[in-house]
């Protein structure tokens, strides 16, 4: 089972102005999606699982401020991963992997009688 991961960090909350800077990102609404690139469901779609949340961004030091128009998804993803910490990101990915594995080989199935 080969799993790929994709971050979506395109939605952010900003301060209109802070310390004479404009559009200062202070919170990121993120989603991490895992896709099994090998196994497919009965409709032929790759199995997926996702987790989402929001992460506050430290704005106490704006010495390395980057203008909003110049921000990339990679920049923002880096902030989120750094704030969450490597152990938390690894744990989330492991949880997504387990979620997909449970979909592929369920240990319980709900059925309707009748």
């Amino acid at each position: 089972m080969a799993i790929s991961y994709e971050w979506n960090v395109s939605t952010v909350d900003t301060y209109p102005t802070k310390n004479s800077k404009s559009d200062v990102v202070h919170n990121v609404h993120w989603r991490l999606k895992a896709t099994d690139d090998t196994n497919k469901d009965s409709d032929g779609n790759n199995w997926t699982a996702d987790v989402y949340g929001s992460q506050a961004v430290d704005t106490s030091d704006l010495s390395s401020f980057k203008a909003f128009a110049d921000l990339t998804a990679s920049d923002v993803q880096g902030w989120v991963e750094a704030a969450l910490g490597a152990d938390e990101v690894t744990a989330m990915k492991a949880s997504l992997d387990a979620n997909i594995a449970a979909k592929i080989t369920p240990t319980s199935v709900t059925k309707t009688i009748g």
Side-chain angles (χ1 to χ4, degrees):
M1 178 166 71
I3 305 280
S4 60
Y5 306 95
E6 180 182 355
W7 286 91
N8 179 326
V9 294
S10 60
T11 303
V12 298
D13 299 322
T14 65
Y15 296 126
T17 57
K18 180 171 181 170
N19 297 346
S20 73
K21 307 290 186 196
S22 297
D23 298 322
V24 177
V25 174
H26 68 88
N27 191 54
V28 179
H29 302 272
W30 57 266
R31 180 176 300 274
L32 178 59
K33 180 178 181 181
T35 302
D36 181 333
D37 299 322
T38 306
N39 297 293
K40 298 187 183 295
D41 64 18
S42 60
D43 294 326
N45 300 310
N46 293 87
W47 288 103
T48 64
D50 63 342
V51 62
Y52 60 92
S54 63
Q55 180 60 53
V57 176
D58 182 8
T59 61
S60 62
D61 178 6
L62 298 178
S63 60
S64 61
F65 178 78
K66 190 171 189 180
F68 187 84
D70 296 331
L71 286 178
T72 65
S74 180
D75 294 329
V76 179
Q77 177 183 332
W79 298 344
V80 170
E81 289 192 56
L84 290 170
D87 289 344
E88 179 64 20
V89 172
T90 299
M92 285 190 309
K93 288 179 178 180
S95 178
L96 292 170
D97 293 354
N99 185 304
I100 289 173
K103 289 177 180 179
I104 295 169
T105 310
T107 57
S108 176
V109 177
T110 303
K111 296 191 176 217
T112 305
I113 298 173

